[in-house]
Amino acid sequence: MEKLSRNSRVVAITKILTENPNKVMGLNSFSELLNAAKSTISEDIVIVREVLEKLEMGRVETIAGAAGGIKYIPGVGKDSSRKFTEELCELLRDESRIVPGNFIYVTDLMYNPQIISKAGVVLSGFFKEVEVDCIVTVETKGIPLAYEVARSLGIPLVIIRRDSKVTEGSTVTINYVSGTSGRIQQMSLSKKSMKPQSKCIFIDDFLRGGGTAKGIKDLLKEFDSELIGTGVLIDNIGVSNKKASGYISLVELNYIEETNTLDVQPSKMVE
C-alpha cells in the first residue's frame, strides 16, 4: 500500500475508531492497515484525541498492557446535550401527537436515525462508568434506541418479547402488571440469550407507570441476573405511584387533560 499523508491517516483512524466504539484496538492493526510505523500512528492518535475532546465528541482512551491499545468512548458535551433535548421537546409539543386514549405518538421519532443515534450517545453517557454486560429492551419501539445505547457502550443487546417464539428455543415467560392499565401482561426471554449473573440496563422509549421495568427486573432474576439501571427517552411525569425508580430520562412530559396540551421539558438530568 502506498504511503498516506498525515491528514489521510488521521481521517482513517477517526473513522475506524468512531465506527467501533468501546472496542480496544491495538496500534499494530493501524500500523499494518495504514503502512506506517507505530510511532507515527501514536502521533496521529494524539491529534485525533485532541480534536475529539476539543469538539466534545467523545474521547480516545489508552489501554495499557500486552492486550492493550486504544478505544473510542462516544460522548456529547453538555451544551450539545441540552440543545438536542430542547429540539426534541419542541417536536413533542405538537398537540397533534395526542391520539385517542390520550396516548402520545412517538413512532416517527423512535425510527428517525438522526434523532435516535444522538439520543443513544447522550443516554449511554449516564452509564459509561457502570460495569454492565448487556442492554435489554422489550419489543418493539424501544429497539432502535436500545441498539444505539448498546453500540455506544460496546455491549450486546438482548430483546425481550411480548410472546414466546418457536424460533427462540426454550424460553422463560413471566406475568407482570402493567403500571398504566393495571392489566396482567406477559414477557418472554430465550434461555440462550443471556449468560447467568449478567448485569443489565433496561432502555425504552417511554416510561409511564414503570410496570415493564419492574417486570424485567423480575424476569432477569430467573436468569440469576440483575437490573442495575434504567434509561428512557421520555418520562411521563403525569403518572403517579410508579413501579420504577432511580431511572434516567432525557425528556419529561405531562399531558394536561383540561387543556388537551402537552407540557414537555428537558429532564433535570441533562441540565
Side-chain angles (χ1 to χ4, degrees):
M1 179 179 176
E2 65 179 74
K3 293 282 187 178
L4 298 175
S5 66
R6 167 149 289 172
N7 287 344
S8 298
R9 293 195 306 271
V10 167
V11 169
I13 292 170
T14 303
K15 180 175 175 59
I16 292 169
L17 288 175
T18 54
E19 287 185 347
N20 296 275
N22 271 290
K23 179 181 179 180
V24 178
M25 310 186 74
L27 296 190
N28 284 336
S29 61
F30 292 106
S31 180
E32 294 172 2
L33 176 64
L34 303 176
N35 191 23
K38 288 175 63 176
S39 58
T40 300
I41 295 297
S42 295
E43 293 172 357
D44 296 338
I45 289 171
V46 170
I47 296 174
V48 174
R49 177 184 287 116
E50 290 177 348
V51 172
L52 289 176
E53 291 183 358
K54 184 175 182 179
L55 297 177
E56 296 185 317
M57 298 172 65
R59 70 179 192 271
V60 177
E61 191 173 284
T62 300
I63 309 300
I70 60 171
K71 69 176 180 179
Y72 166 67
I73 302 174
V76 179
K78 289 185 177 180
D79 289 342
S80 294
S81 295
R82 179 72 184 188
K83 181 180 179 182
F84 169 73
T85 52
E86 288 281 11
E87 292 172 348
L88 186 58
C89 287
E90 190 61 33
L91 291 172
L92 286 165
R93 290 187 184 110
D94 183 356
E95 294 173 11
S96 66
R97 291 189 175 278
I98 304 171
V99 298
N102 295 336
F103 292 103
I104 312 301
Y105 180 80
V106 297
T107 302
D108 61 326
L109 305 181
M110 296 307 300
Y111 292 99
N112 184 313
Q114 286 72 39
I115 292 175
I116 291 305
S117 60
K118 187 71 170 286
V121 174
V122 175
L123 201 51
S124 68
F126 292 98
F127 303 105
K128 61 186 177 182
E129 305 299 333
V130 179
E131 183 181 344
V132 58
D133 299 304
C134 65
I135 297 296
V136 297
T137 193
V138 176
E139 58 179 4
T140 57
K141 287 204 299 292
I143 292 176
L145 178 60
Y147 170 80
E148 291 296 340
V149 174
R151 181 177 182 276
S152 292
L153 295 175
I155 56 177
L157 169 63
V158 175
I159 299 175
I160 297 169
R161 296 186 178 275
R162 297 292 185 183
D163 301 297
S164 59
K165 305 289 184 181
V166 294
T167 54
E168 297 289 292
S170 298
T171 61
V172 174
T173 301
I174 68 164
N175 295 328
Y176 72 100
V177 179
S178 168
T180 304
S181 65
R183 296 175 181 174
I184 301 294
Q185 298 183 340
Q186 286 189 334
M187 60 174 65
S188 175
L189 184 59
S190 170
K191 291 182 178 180
K192 295 181 179 295
S193 64
M194 183 182 298
K195 296 180 180 179
Q197 300 180 338
S198 293
K199 294 181 179 180
C200 311
I201 292 172
F202 170 47
I203 299 294
D204 207 2
D205 61 324
F206 204 101
L207 191 142
R208 294 182 181 86
T212 300
K214 185 178 185 304
I216 286 176
K217 186 175 183 179
D218 294 337
L219 178 59
L220 291 177
K221 290 179 182 178
E222 300 294 325
F223 289 79
D224 294 322
S225 295
E226 180 184 4
L227 181 65
I228 61 172
T230 297
V232 297
L233 187 70
I234 304 166
D235 175 23
N236 187 342
I237 62 174
V239 177
S240 58
N241 300 320
K242 293 187 178 183
K243 297 180 182 296
S245 60
Y247 53 86
I248 302 295
S249 66
L250 299 188
V251 171
E252 296 178 349
L253 178 149
N254 185 21
Y255 169 64
I256 303 174
E257 187 173 1
E258 292 79 6
T259 57
N260 196 39
T261 58
L262 295 171
D263 178 22
V264 189
Q265 302 295 332
S267 168
K268 296 179 177 61
M269 301 170 190
V270 295
E271 291 183 346

